[in-house]
Amino acid sequence: MQITVPPSVKGMTELNRDEFTQTITVPYINIPGECMQSKQLKDILLILPSFKNARDLEPRLKQISLDPDVIQTKEDIIKRVPSIEEYVEQSFGFIQIIITYTNYTIEQIIKGILPDDLMKDKNVNNGSGYSLIGHIAHFNLRDEVLPYKHIIAQVVLDKLPHVKTVVNKLHEIDSVYRNFELEILAGDPNTIVKCRESKVTFEFDFAKVYWNPRL
């Protein structure tokens, strides 16, 4: 499901996680637990980060939330998963669920925060593009996005548990050794990282050594 964040977060520069809470309406059905193994059923489930799309009603019965972008009517389900028609006819309906900050992706949050004119500019790194070097997430943000750099960094820290430090490149690379000056936007100020390439582990200071995981 492609959920959008509440309009009130647009232009936010200090992260307020509570502002992302909203209530949405989704379809549901009640089915025996063994039906959850159906491959066709998996294609219509509501999939969101940190969201449980099935809850126990009784020992053998589960209530499952479905993707409203795919399912609007009983017929939509029966066409895709005819083997559960009986249960669809008996239980199909709509429920309201609460979406919180934890249920959005990094891209959805940053897209919702940044002004629309920045999102339309394909030359602007809107925060969804970054490199991972050990425990560091490395950004190369354009000037237009800098007012939002700290909130972007905090979102990345929240969403990627293995990331402990978020940095941004300050200037273009102009030295013979191709290292660059960086600023720490959020997290632990530790820039000593470990990276594994071709079964070899390298340990170095990312603030002093040029390392590009794309090369």
Side-chain angles (χ1 to χ4, degrees):
M1 178 185 180
Q2 294 298 317
I3 57 175
T4 57
V5 301
S8 60
V9 308
K10 183 68 68 177
M12 178 186 291
T13 54
E14 293 186 12
L15 187 58
N16 182 349
R17 297 171 184 83
D18 292 339
E19 283 290 323
F20 291 85
T21 302
Q22 63 176 318
T23 300
I24 64 172
T25 301
V26 301
Y28 78 92
I29 53 174
N30 302 329
I31 59 174
E34 58 266 24
C35 294
M36 292 291 292
Q37 304 304 315
S38 168
K39 292 183 179 179
Q40 297 97 328
L41 182 64
K42 292 178 181 178
D43 292 334
I44 63 175
L45 293 176
L46 177 59
I47 306 295
L48 298 173
S50 302
F51 175 77
K52 295 183 68 173
N53 52 28
R55 69 183 186 94
D56 295 331
L57 295 181
E58 54 185 64
R60 64 177 297 270
L61 198 64
K62 292 182 179 294
Q63 182 180 89
I64 60 172
S65 301
L66 307 174
D67 188 338
D69 291 345
V70 179
I71 302 299
Q72 286 86 42
T73 67
K74 291 189 293 186
E75 290 69 26
D76 292 335
I77 308 174
I78 296 169
K79 186 190 318 181
R80 289 171 174 267
V81 198
S83 61
I84 61 172
E85 179 176 0
E86 173 187 355
Y87 306 108
V88 175
E89 293 289 356
Q90 293 173 354
S91 65
F92 177 79
F94 291 87
I95 56 172
Q96 290 188 326
I97 63 171
I98 297 175
I99 300 296
T100 68
Y101 176 79
T102 62
N103 302 128
Y104 301 95
T105 65
I106 293 174
E107 291 75 16
Q108 287 169 334
I109 292 174
I110 294 175
K111 180 180 179 180
I113 289 173
L114 291 183
D116 292 335
D117 57 332
L118 288 184
M119 296 303 304
K120 293 176 182 178
D121 187 347
K122 295 183 179 180
N123 294 319
V124 171
N125 183 344
N126 58 29
S128 61
Y130 52 87
S131 300
L132 295 176
I133 304 94
H135 67 275
I136 293 177
H138 168 226
F139 281 92
N140 183 15
L141 298 174
R142 292 284 190 98
D143 291 345
E144 298 89 339
V145 186
L146 292 181
Y148 306 93
K149 62 184 180 181
H150 292 295
I151 194 170
I152 290 173
Q154 187 58 56
V155 172
V156 171
L157 279 183
D158 289 346
K159 295 293 182 176
L160 299 179
H162 63 283
V163 171
K164 305 302 179 185
T165 308
V166 182
V167 304
N168 182 45
K169 185 172 75 172
L170 287 179
H171 308 292
E172 293 299 320
I173 297 173
D174 57 5
S175 71
V176 66
Y177 298 110
R178 296 188 62 76
N179 55 317
F180 50 82
E181 190 177 356
L182 55 80
E183 63 175 332
I184 295 176
L185 300 180
D188 187 347
N190 174 25
T191 55
I192 306 297
V193 299
K194 289 184 179 180
C195 294
R196 189 170 177 81
E197 289 286 343
S198 301
K199 300 181 181 180
V200 177
T201 299
F202 299 86
E203 183 173 356
F204 55 92
D205 188 343
F206 184 64
K208 298 178 180 178
V209 175
Y210 178 74
W211 179 277
N212 189 333
R214 296 185 178 92
L215 299 180

